[in-house]
Amino acid sequence: MTRHGLRVNPRLQLTLRIVLAQPGSAARLARRLTLFAILSLVLVLPASRTLAQAPLLVYAAASLSDVFLALEAEFERQHPEIDLVLNLASSSTLASQLLLGARADVVASADEAQIARLREAGLIGDSQIFARNRLALVVPSDNPAGLRTAADLARPGLRLVLASPGVPVRGYSDQVLEQLESQQHVEMEDILANVVSEESNVRQVLFRIAYGSADAGFVYRSDVTPELSDKVAVIPLANEVNVYATYPVAVTANSDNAQLARAFIALLLSPAGQRSLQDHSFIPAIPEAPVWHGSPYCQAAPA
Amino acid sequence: MKRVTAATLVLVATAGAGFLLLPVLVLLEEGLGTPRPGGPGDPALPQALALSLVTTCISMLLVLAFGTPLAWVLARWRFPLRRLLSVLLQLPLVLPPAVAGLALLLALGRRGALGNVLASLNVEIAFTASAVVLTQVFVAAPFFLRAAQAGFANVPADIEAAARVDGATGLALFLNVSLPLSLRALGAGLTLAWARALGEFGATILFAGNLQGRTQTMPLLVYNALERNLDTAIQTGLILVFLALGVLLLANLLRAPDSYGYL
C-alpha cells in the first residue's frame, strides 16, 4: 500500500549527497547557519529599543483617538526632533499593559478608576483633569429598531451593545442605566438582558452601530464625528439622566522623558489644546477656555 | 574545528528550542506553580469552556458532513479548474483571522450581501452561537479538506478495482473500501481542524461579538479577562495549552507510521 512519505527527487538526493561529501562543507553550512542566526538577532534586538532619541510614548483612551492625532501633529511641530507615539486602547487595557510592565511617558484615561489603579501600584504620581465628555445613545442611521427614547432600550428583542465591564464607557453607561431606572422607572435588568455583545473599547461599540449589526449602544458624544453622520444617529438623552466623563492625565513614574511628557500635558491644558478638544466635541476642563455650547455633531434620529 | 562547529550548532539549536518552549513553560509555571486561595473561581470560565466544546463539536460535524463529499470530489473527479478551486478553498488557512471575520461580517452581517436574504427569512446570525460555529467552520474546514483530499487520492486504485471485481459499487465501495483506507487521514485532518476551531479568536470576536455565556469562547475569555482578572486568563490559557497538547499527540498518533505526513 502506498503511503504519503517524503519523496525526495532522486536527482536532488544525489546533489545533496555530493555537496555534503565535499570536505568541510557541512562545517561551512553550520558556520553559515550560525552566522545567519547571530545576524538575525543583531537585526531584531535594536528594533525593540531605538538607539536615537527615544520617542515620547503617550497611552491614551480610545475615545481620544481623533483629538490626540491632531495634538500629536501639533506637538511634533513644536518639537521637531521628537517622535510622539500614540498607543490607543480602552483605558483599562492601557492600565493593564502598564501594570504588566509596559513603558510609557504619559497616560490619558477616560476615567479616574484606571488612574487610581495605576497610582496604587506606584506607576504614576499626580494626575490632572484635562477634559470632560458626555454620553450619547447611538443607533444606526436607519434606526432599525425604531428607538425613540432611552426608555425603549428595555424593549424585548432589541440588540444593545455595551463595552466590557472595566472599560470606562461601560461604567458611565451603567450610571446612565441606573439614572433611567431611578428616574424613568425602566428596569435596568430588562435593558441588560438585551445586551448582545460586550466590546473591548468604545470605538468598537461605535463600529457595531455604524455597520448596522446592533440596534443601539452607548458611546461618548465626541465619538460621533462628522464622518459618521450618515451612518449613526443620536437619540437624545435627558440632562438629568446623562453623566459626565472625566479625563485625567499623568506622567508615568518610570518615564525617561518626564520633561517632554510634562510639555505634552502643558499642550493639552493650553488654550490651543483646550480649543482642539472642544473642536472634537469634548468639554474643556480649564475655566479660561470658552464656554461649551453643545456638540455640533449630535443630531436627532429619524422617528 | 569539528568540535567548535558542533558546539555552536548545539548553542543555536538550544536558543531556538528555548525560545519556542519558554513562554509556554512560564505559563504552566504561573498557572500550576503558585497555589491559589480556594475562591469561588470565575463563573465565566466554565461557561466559556462549555461554549467552546459545544460549538467546536457542532463545527466539526458540519466540517465532516460537507467536507467529506467536497474532498472526495476534489480528489477523484476531473473537471476544469479543479486545482484552482482546490487552492482557493485553502485560502482561510493563510487568511489573517481578522480579515476572515470582516469578510464574514460583510457577507452575513445585517448590512451584508446575504444579510437582506437572511433578514427576510427572519434569521439573525450576528451575536449568536451560530456565528461562532460558522466562523469556526470557515477557518478550520481547510485543515480537514487538505488531509481528506490527500487521503482519498492515496487510496490504491488496485484495491478499489479488486473490490469492483467482487461487485462493490458506488456508496458500498466508498463505505467499505475507500473510507476505511483513508480513515487515518480524515482523523488527523479533523483533529487539526478541531484545534484550529478551538483556538479561533480574531474572526470570532469580529463576527460573533463577545458576550459571556453566549459567544465568549475560551480564547475570547483569555483576552477579555486580561484586564479584570489575570488569574482567569492564565487558568483558561492553561486549559487551552493542555487541549492543544492533546490534539498534537492525537494528530501524531493518527499519522501513518512510515510517513513524514501530509499535514
Side-chain angles (χ1 to χ4, degrees), chain A residues 29-210:
Chain A
L29 189 67
R31 270 204 307 276
R32 287 205 180 138
L33 279 178
T34 315
L35 192 68
F36 180 72
I38 292 171
L39 257 178
S40 42
L41 273 184
V42 167
L43 289 174
V44 166
L45 284 183
S48 53
R49 194 171 274 261
T50 324
L51 300 171
Q53 170 78 52
L56 186 71
L57 291 172
V58 176
Y59 279 34
S63 49
L64 294 166
S65 302
D66 303 292
V67 62
F68 269 39
L69 281 170
L71 289 169
E72 177 190 357
E74 173 63 18
F75 187 81
E76 285 173 351
R77 199 183 56 74
Q78 292 175 7
H79 304 82
E81 74 289 1
I82 302 299
D83 182 21
L84 191 156
V85 175
L86 286 175
N87 177 16
L88 299 160
S90 89
S91 306
S92 50
T93 303
L94 299 175
S96 298
Q97 288 173 347
L98 291 170
L99 288 167
L100 288 172
R103 213 186 66 81
D105 297 303
V106 177
V107 195
S109 163
D111 71 3
E112 294 279 9
Q114 301 306 322
I115 285 290
R117 255 175 98 193
L118 293 172
R119 190 177 292 123
E120 276 161 29
L123 292 175
I124 55 166
D126 290 335
S127 62
Q128 201 166 354
I129 290 171
F130 66 95
R132 290 178 213 281
N133 213 338
R134 302 213 82 176
L135 283 210
L137 175 57
V138 287
V139 297
S141 51
D142 56 349
N143 198 355
L147 209 72
R148 279 179 298 112
T149 69
D152 292 343
L153 288 174
R155 211 188 307 147
L158 180 124
R159 307 200 303 172
L160 177 65
V161 172
L162 296 178
S164 287
V167 177
V169 74
R170 175 58 183 269
Y172 298 126
S173 310
D174 284 347
Q175 286 174 28
V176 168
L177 296 184
E178 280 159 17
Q179 296 293 329
L180 276 173
E181 185 167 60
S182 65
Q183 298 188 23
Q184 302 188 7
H185 311 291
V186 188
E187 290 294 327
M188 188 167 166
E189 220 172 271
D190 295 341
I191 298 180
L192 289 178
N194 285 336
V195 174
V196 291
S197 187
E198 294 180 328
E199 303 295 326
S200 56
N201 67 57
V202 66
R203 290 297 166 107
Q204 282 176 8
V205 175
L206 194 63
F207 165 80
R208 295 293 187 197
I209 307 303

Side-chain angles (χ1 to χ4, degrees), chain A residues 1 3-4 6 30-31 92-93 96 117 140 142 144 159 164 195-198 200 207-208 210 212-215, chain B residues 1 5 12 105 110-111 124 126-127 154 156 181 205-206 209-211 214 223-224 227 230 256 258-260 262:
Chain A
M1 208 174 131
R3 287 286 185 186
H4 341 284
L6 180 74
R31 270 204 307 276
S92 50
T93 303
S96 298
R117 255 175 98 193
D142 56 349
R159 307 200 303 172
S164 287
V195 174
V196 291
S197 187
E198 294 180 328
S200 56
F207 165 80
R208 295 293 187 197
S213 45
D215 296 326
Chain B
M1 189 61 221
T5 310
V12 173
L105 196 64
R110 188 149 68 182
R111 286 193 181 165
E124 292 272 10
F127 305 124
N154 280 298
L181 284 175
I205 205 164
L206 257 169
N210 165 54
L211 188 66
R214 199 161 354 157
Y223 177 69
N224 197 260
E227 289 167 24
L230 193 59
D258 61 340
S259 94
Y260 284 90
Y262 31 78

Side-chain angles (χ1 to χ4, degrees), chain A residues 1-21:
Chain A
M1 208 174 131
T2 51
R3 287 286 185 186
H4 341 284
L6 180 74
R7 290 197 203 89
V8 178
N9 181 335
R11 197 181 291 165
L12 178 66
Q13 224 165 11
L14 189 67
T15 322
L16 268 176
R17 226 172 261 156
I18 293 170
V19 168
L20 291 176

